[in-house]
Amino acid sequence: MLKVNQNYLKLPGSYLFSTIGRKVRKYSAAHPEADIIRLGIGDVTQPLAPAIVQALQGAVDEMGHAETFRGYAPDLGYEFLRETIARKDYAARGCEIAADEIFVSDGAKSDCSNIQEIFDADCRIAVCDPVYPVYVDSNVMAGRTGTYDPEAQTWSDVIYMPCTAENGFAPQLPQQQPDLIYLCFPNNPTGAAITKEALQEWVDYANRVGAVILYDAAYEAYISEEGIPHSIYECEGARTCAIEFRSFSKNAGFTGVRLGFTVIPKDLKADGVALHPLWARRHGTKYNGAPYIIQRAGEAVYSEAGRSQLREQVAYYMKNARTIRDGLRDAGYTVSGGVNAPYIWLKAPNGMTSWEFFDYLLDRAHIVGTPGSGFGPSGETYFRLTAFGTYENTVRAIERIKAL
Ligand code: MLT
């Protein structure tokens, strides 16, 4: 008899942000007068920078003429973009990454959920707790996580590395040995960053035990302090133990445009097998390449005009982050993040759970945030606000919270 993939039935009812969306739609329908401010999902609000719009328009024109029209893009990305990334992103930081070690895609979410396909079904994953739900959910779909304990909100085969106020929201090396270690810095959801020395310890550990680090650096453009690595390849030895995911969503406002890339160094092996050709095979079979028009827009992110316009955009969001952080502190909240990341992580007041605070804030202040418990058990009683709103809405939201 035909059966569905039973692993899908083990997943929580819906993806965290879909659950929030549903709750907010229900609230809005019941309270049509409510002027809701959305600081939940980390979606950008500023328009595309002029340099990017210009590149998009130029590429659309090219597609409209027979001489410059392009069909299928190369599976792994156009040379012009891969070469620009290698030179202006990695070489400029002193990282040894070649253009043909970069795989262009439609975004980091797809890559960091698909990457587990090239590893054995029995491999053991370690994740930070709280964690971006995609890492765990994609492994649940692949049947790698064991059984779910609804009380503890944990999967039996997953190694959770608690990130709490006590350890500065930085994971400790795990007691049990994982095969794959998901790290995201600057961190979603806590907004915490990692120093180069601390990341070097992870790289040394992974090389020592033969694990692979899956490093999500989607928020690197928000780093404002010295000593915080923008790429894991700034660490010595990372070429033999790390895959890096990067996104254009947050540094260039491409959440609706879709573009990202993954770096797999050719020296990286698992069990003696090089991973680069496996991912190239997977990409070639299952993906037809990011659109030419979008890859030209990605190239413009690295142009002089693009860089300076995007620096301003990041500064705009970081002004929001400061407004939220300072405003919440003034109102007596315990707050972290928002210095090297566009997320502010706060403790729910008066012993409320994360979802109680979500309901309270929605009902009393008409503000949508993200409950910390949605990211894992150690997120319980915490709450995440994003700095990606407009400045005006951010200021209004903080005024409303202060008035509560
Ligand atoms: C978030 O809110 O955590 C992010 O927007 C999710 C994502 O980047 O997919």
Side-chain angles (χ1 to χ4, degrees):
M1 192 175 70
L2 176 63
K3 276 188 161 180
V4 298
N5 177 347
Q6 299 294 304
N7 297 316
Y8 275 68
L9 308 182
K10 298 184 199 163
L11 284 166
S14 65
Y15 182 56
L16 173 62
F17 294 105
S18 318
T19 308
I20 293 173
R22 215 177 28 253
K23 265 182 164 271
V24 176
R25 278 193 299 279
K26 194 167 157 204
Y27 185 85
S28 278
H31 304 85
E33 74 298 340
D35 170 21
I36 293 177
I37 299 178
R38 290 177 163 77
L39 301 180
I41 190 164
D43 197 2
V44 293
T45 49
Q46 293 305 291
L48 293 176
I52 290 160
V53 173
Q54 201 180 356
L56 283 167
Q57 286 167 338
V60 168
D61 280 347
E62 284 183 66
M63 294 294 272
H65 291 92
E67 318 77 63
T68 46
F69 170 78
R70 320 260 178 146
Y72 287 125
D75 302 335
L76 309 187
Y78 280 103
E79 202 47 42
F80 65 78
L81 180 58
R82 300 168 87 197
E83 193 277 325
T84 301
I85 295 169
R87 191 160 44 86
K88 296 200 175 175
D89 215 312
Y90 288 104
R93 278 189 226 294
C95 303
E96 192 198 323
I97 293 296
D100 64 358
E101 293 176 318
I102 295 166
F103 297 78
V104 177
S105 73
D106 68 340
K109 184 178 183 179
S110 343
D111 284 356
C112 65
S113 58
N114 289 327
I115 195 75
Q116 43 76 30
E117 281 185 23
I118 65 169
F119 297 98
D120 185 76
D122 288 334
C123 72
R124 194 85 197 266
I125 68 160
V127 295
C128 291
D129 167 27
V131 66
Y132 180 40
V134 169
Y135 311 149
V136 177
D137 285 4
S138 55
N139 279 285
V140 173
M141 291 170 181
R144 201 175 274 120
T145 45
T147 49
Y148 189 63
D149 176 346
E151 189 95 345
Q153 300 176 47
T154 52
W155 293 91
S156 58
D157 291 351
V158 174
I159 301 168
Y160 290 88
M161 305 181 292
C163 298
T164 59
E166 289 67 43
N167 60 23
F169 303 104
Q172 314 291 297
L173 296 178
Q175 305 283 316
Q176 298 160 284
Q177 194 175 306
D179 301 303
L180 296 176
I181 305 165
Y182 287 85
L183 294 179
C184 170
F185 286 105
N187 188 259
N188 178 15
T190 66
I194 194 168
T195 62
K196 186 166 167 195
E197 291 69 38
L199 187 57
Q200 184 67 56
E201 278 182 36
W202 282 96
V203 168
D204 294 344
Y205 169 78
N207 275 322
R208 202 165 57 241
V209 303
V212 170
I213 298 176
L214 302 171
Y215 194 71
D216 184 348
Y219 300 94
E220 64 77 30
Y222 292 84
I223 293 172
S224 68
E225 293 181 317
E226 292 290 313
I228 310 287
H230 287 248
S231 163
I232 195 167
Y233 302 113
E234 289 177 40
C235 295
E236 214 170 300
R239 284 186 57 87
T240 53
C241 70
I243 292 176
E244 180 163 289
F245 304 98
R246 290 281 302 278
S247 165
F248 288 81
S249 290
K250 318 291 160 126
N251 65 343
F254 278 28
T255 52
V257 174
R258 307 308 311 152
L259 191 67
F261 62 90
T262 289
V263 179
I264 307 191
K266 291 197 174 154
D267 333 5
L268 177 55
K269 292 186 177 151
D271 196 20
V273 180
L275 299 181
H276 184 282
L278 299 192
W279 188 241
R281 184 71 172 85
R282 194 253 169 222
H283 226 54
T285 304
K286 295 196 172 183
Y287 189 59
N288 257 339
Y292 172 71
I293 297 166
I294 308 299
Q295 294 197 48
R296 279 293 181 203
E299 184 188 31
V301 168
Y302 293 93
S303 68
E304 212 171 302
R307 281 199 146 154
S308 104
Q309 291 160 10
L310 293 171
R311 253 195 306 274
E312 273 177 41
Q313 209 169 77
V314 166
Y316 174 95
Y317 291 130
M318 288 313 272
K319 186 171 153 197
N320 290 349
R322 244 184 341 269
T323 304
I324 299 175
R325 222 179 50 233
D326 296 351
L328 290 176
R329 281 207 177 126
D330 288 351
Y333 285 83
T334 305
V335 183
S336 60
V339 176
N340 294 297
Y343 293 124
I344 291 87
W345 191 238
L346 56 128
K347 185 91 179 147
N350 307 325
M352 280 190 231
T353 66
S354 301
W355 279 108
E356 280 167 359
F357 188 58
F358 174 91
D359 290 333
Y360 172 78
L361 218 52
L362 179 59
D363 193 41
R364 299 281 297 278
H366 300 155
I367 295 169
V368 180
T370 310
S373 56
F375 297 102
S378 296
E380 183 56 285
T381 73
Y382 281 89
F383 201 74
R384 192 192 77 176
L385 290 175
T386 162
F388 286 124
T390 62
Y391 179 64
E392 294 69 26
N393 275 346
T394 304
V395 169
R396 287 167 65 228
I398 294 305
E399 278 166 3
R400 289 186 195 175
I401 294 178
K402 280 184 169 175
L404 278 176

